[in-house]
Amino acid sequence: MEENKLPEIFETFGDARKNGFVTVKELKDKGKKVVGTFCTYTPKELIYAAGAYPVGLCATSEETIPEAEKKLPKNLCPLIKASYGFAATDKCPYMYFSDLVVGETTCDGKKKMYELLGEIKDVHVLQLPQNQDERSLKLWTEEIHHFKKVLEEKFDVTITEQDLKDAVKLCNDEREVMQRFYELGKLTPPPLSGLEMHTIMHGTTFTFDKNEQIKNINEVIEKLIQKHQEGKSEVSESAKRILITGCPSGGIVEKIIKPLEESGAVVVCFENCIGIKSFDRMVNTEKDPVEAIAERYLKIPCSVMTPNKGREELLVKLIEEYKVDGVIDVILQACHTYNVETEKIREVVQGADTPYMSLETDYSLSDFGQIKTRLEAFVEML
Ligand code: BJ8
């Protein structure tokens, strides 16, 4: 391999969704169980502990939205329409092979969509409380105990305490390596672009062998650190450093991340569910595993929580740690919770002396030119 050339792992992760199709079929042929998930609040540990494999379901392209709109309103978040559309058209192999799909009571659109999805697939909806206080933690802990029972009955297994502890260890190991990976964005210049970082993080959603993933990511980290030490980063030292927050960014990469980086900026930090929100915070291994899992997941600072102070505190911390020059808040059309929260987030970000811009968009390319112009203007004034 050429010196400093990144391993094919970048490509491997870039193709992870496609390659995962074969893997998931092989797993099914071997009699393994697959559980489709939509949200960062889904405690993957329980799924592993039941001997099944969690997989993120397709929801990041507009391909199936017209089909979804036959049943769902047009003015609904594109992520929700795409999720349903992929299921209704059988175009997501992960959905097709899922023995169970797990939804959650996060936003109104999703929880109502799951009712329709339940007509196509076996769906279990986790009753997620809407705030993070002690009473909610009790409810959520009970809900996780219930989820354990649902999985035991569905897959005819008994989940032991040791199964849970092993699963906690696996997920904590993954979090640890992913934290080391995204913290590479703290370097100046960062040794990889935001687009590359996004590709890898998105690819992990479709990687079934987590130990293999941990090994591969470690390899990428070592290469990138070496690249940085040798001053060979392709990112310019003067590139404006951007933090992306808001709705999941899987469906807007071509529309926002790419043009942003083409206009002289670099995304150094993804605070959203593709990045830090998913991998931040470990499950405490000193406590009862179900309680510790409940505690860890309930703290996720998503806008579906009210209040959602955690997101504000996290942003202020990240702006400093990643030496951020500007924050872009991505709002998927008709996402009321993130949209309403922009006002608070603007105050918090500007209060940290950092320029802020919110962008509301969907998965279509109809506003591509308009967004590109706004991104260029934003980068220019940084
Ligand atoms: S933890 S961000 S994955 S809920 S679907 S809320 S964009 S209107 S996805 Fe999410 Fe879990 Fe939170 Fe993360 Fe808005 Fe659309 Fe609803 Fe959405």
Side-chain angles (χ1 to χ4, degrees), residues 17-294:
R17 180 174 173 265
K18 213 167 55 194
N19 297 338
F21 297 166
V22 180
T23 314
V24 75
K25 166 131 193 351
E26 285 169 0
L27 288 172
K28 292 292 291 187
D29 288 346
K30 286 183 198 153
K32 302 286 182 198
K33 304 296 179 200
V34 173
V35 177
T37 68
F38 285 110
C39 180
T40 310
Y41 282 106
T42 307
K44 292 183 296 181
E45 287 83 349
L46 276 288
I47 300 171
Y48 285 120
Y53 288 86
V55 64
L57 297 167
C58 307
T60 57
S61 102
E62 62 171 340
E63 187 188 341
T64 63
I65 289 182
E67 192 56 35
E69 285 176 347
K70 288 183 185 164
K71 293 240 173 147
L72 295 170
K74 279 196 172 23
N75 63 342
L76 188 65
C77 159
L79 193 151
I80 304 175
K81 288 190 284 188
S83 306
Y84 180 75
F86 272 103
T89 55
D90 253 348
K91 282 194 174 158
C92 169
Y94 300 113
M95 175 69 82
Y96 175 81
F97 285 120
S98 289
D99 297 280
L100 179 71
V101 171
V102 180
E104 24 31 65
T105 53
T106 44
C107 64
D108 288 351
K110 273 209 282 185
K111 67 190 179 202
K112 296 307 285 181
M113 180 272 283
Y114 294 139
E115 292 175 17
L116 295 179
L117 192 60
E119 294 169 8
I120 307 174
K121 294 291 293 186
D122 187 1
V123 176
H124 174 71
V125 178
L126 295 165
Q127 301 295 316
L128 178 76
Q130 307 284 284
N131 77 27
Q132 296 151 319
D133 67 13
E134 277 305 310
R135 274 190 314 135
S136 291
L137 179 59
K138 266 193 199 141
L139 289 172
W140 183 232
T141 308
E142 223 178 277
E143 188 61 19
I144 301 213
H145 275 294
H146 177 63
F147 184 38
K148 177 171 170 277
K149 267 195 215 131
V150 168
L151 291 168
E152 286 178 327
E153 277 166 25
K154 171 81 190 168
F155 299 133
D156 196 18
V157 292
T158 303
I159 299 176
T160 65
E161 188 165 333
Q162 193 54 49
D163 292 331
L164 282 171
K165 285 184 174 167
D166 292 346
V168 165
K169 177 164 183 339
L170 181 71
C171 295
N172 273 353
D173 286 351
E174 182 191 12
R175 284 180 194 115
E176 204 234 297
V177 74
M178 292 313 292
Q179 285 172 10
R180 283 185 56 223
F181 173 69
Y182 63 64
E183 283 184 3
L184 291 171
K186 289 182 180 173
L187 298 172
T188 308
L192 77 172
S193 68
L195 201 59
E196 289 168 326
M197 189 180 271
H198 197 283
T199 303
I200 294 224
M201 293 189 298
H202 192 235
T204 61
T205 323
F206 308 105
T207 310
F208 292 89
D209 184 338
K210 288 294 158 186
N211 288 314
E212 181 70 13
Q213 174 192 321
I214 290 167
K215 189 176 127 279
N216 288 343
I217 299 278
N218 268 323
E219 198 184 320
V220 174
I221 295 171
E222 292 319 313
K223 283 274 169 195
L224 289 170
I225 289 177
Q226 193 190 340
K227 207 173 173 187
H228 174 74
Q229 286 168 345
E230 292 171 4
K232 290 182 176 165
S233 173
E234 277 112 47
V235 180
S236 154
E237 193 141 349
S238 59
K240 297 297 175 191
R241 303 166 65 86
I242 305 293
L243 179 150
I244 298 284
T245 181
C247 298
S249 47
I252 48 85
V253 175
E254 294 294 315
K255 208 165 160 176
I256 296 182
I257 316 298
K258 220 168 157 204
L260 187 59
E261 296 203 317
E262 280 167 2
S263 45
V266 58
V267 178
V268 292
C269 182
F270 290 91
E271 179 268 347
N272 59 10
C273 276
I274 200 80
I276 294 183
K277 257 198 201 107
S278 283
F279 299 112
D280 205 16
R281 293 172 312 278
M282 298 289 166
V283 171
N284 187 336
T285 52
E286 307 286 302
K287 291 188 171 177
D288 165 77
V290 171
E291 281 174 21
I293 289 168

Side-chain angles (χ1 to χ4, degrees), residues 303-317:
S303 64
V304 296
M305 291 291 162
T306 177
N308 185 27
K309 283 274 164 216
R311 182 174 174 214
E312 297 171 22
E313 288 158 12
L314 181 62
L315 281 171
V316 171
K317 183 170 134 286

